[in-house]
Amino acid sequence: PVIREVYYFLCVNNVINDLENQMEALTSERDNLLIRVAQARERTEIIEKPVEKWLNDVENLLREVDVLLQRTETDNNCFQGWFPTCGRYLLCKQMVEKVTAIGKFKGKSNDIQPFSHRAPLPGVQYESSEDFIYFESTKMAYSQLLEAIEDD
């Protein structure tokens, strides 16, 4: 535990690089999933809720990571970052937590099944045949068809 805490102080640049790499990988995975969603919508399919939830969670996580990365650029430390401060330590600790959170989302977009389903046709409803009225021409055609089927 002590080594991990010292790591937060001394290896800030490594954590930032790791976070940026993880963020790029998750962004490309999100973009690939968005392409699949667009293709499914072109086929008039409805996207399943787990896919939309994954996309929303990833968007929120990427926004949080972007805020952290912006804070690292605007954070004024003693001696241009060579001397670690408490704020830099807390920021690094948050970044390590975000790297772990990104790891939970990476690779999961392909595992979401089912991805989408076909939308019902608009205006087409199945009606019950209880109130169906047979016309004479329908009865005659039905009987002729039944006779033709029974005839060898």
Side-chain angles (χ1 to χ4, degrees):
V2 173
I3 294 172
R4 182 176 55 229
E5 300 301 319
V6 171
Y7 176 77
Y8 295 149
F9 264 118
L10 301 178
C11 298
V12 175
N13 290 331
N14 291 343
V15 172
I16 292 172
N17 290 336
D18 190 31
L19 183 64
E20 288 174 345
N21 292 337
Q22 295 285 337
M23 184 178 168
E24 286 178 21
L26 188 62
T27 302
S28 66
E29 186 173 345
R30 180 208 53 195
D31 293 343
N32 289 338
L33 187 66
L34 287 174
I35 290 170
R36 288 177 53 201
V37 166
Q39 291 172 346
R41 288 197 173 130
E42 286 176 1
R43 293 187 306 262
T44 64
E45 293 181 357
I46 297 174
I47 306 303
E48 295 291 335
K49 296 290 182 195
V51 175
E52 293 175 356
K53 182 182 180 324
W54 188 91
L55 284 171
N56 288 335
D57 292 346
V58 166
E59 284 296 324
N60 292 336
L61 181 62
L62 289 176
R63 264 190 249 115
E64 292 170 6
V65 168
D66 195 35
V67 167
L68 283 177
L69 290 175
Q70 287 176 0
R71 281 180 50 198
T72 60
E73 293 172 3
T74 60
D75 191 12
N76 294 328
N77 290 317
C78 297
F79 305 110
Q80 285 79 31
W82 288 101
F83 186 74
T85 62
C86 185
R88 191 81 163 175
Y89 163 78
L90 294 175
L91 188 62
C92 185
K93 195 170 185 176
Q94 290 174 349
M95 287 189 289
V96 169
E97 291 172 2
K98 295 302 176 189
V99 167
T100 305
I102 287 174
K104 292 178 183 176
F105 283 105
K106 275 182 48 181
K108 302 290 185 194
S109 67
N110 295 328
D111 298 338
I112 302 172
Q113 293 297 332
F115 182 78
S116 63
H117 63 274
R118 290 194 174 150
L121 295 175
V124 176
Q125 300 289 327
Y126 292 106
E127 297 292 329
S128 173
S129 61
E130 294 174 2
D131 299 330
F132 188 74
I133 300 173
Y134 286 103
F135 295 107
E136 286 300 318
S137 60
T138 306
K139 288 180 184 178
M140 190 169 37
Y142 175 76
S143 63
Q144 288 175 354
L145 203 93
L146 192 59
E147 287 174 15
I149 291 175
E150 289 175 351
D151 188 18
D152 289 337

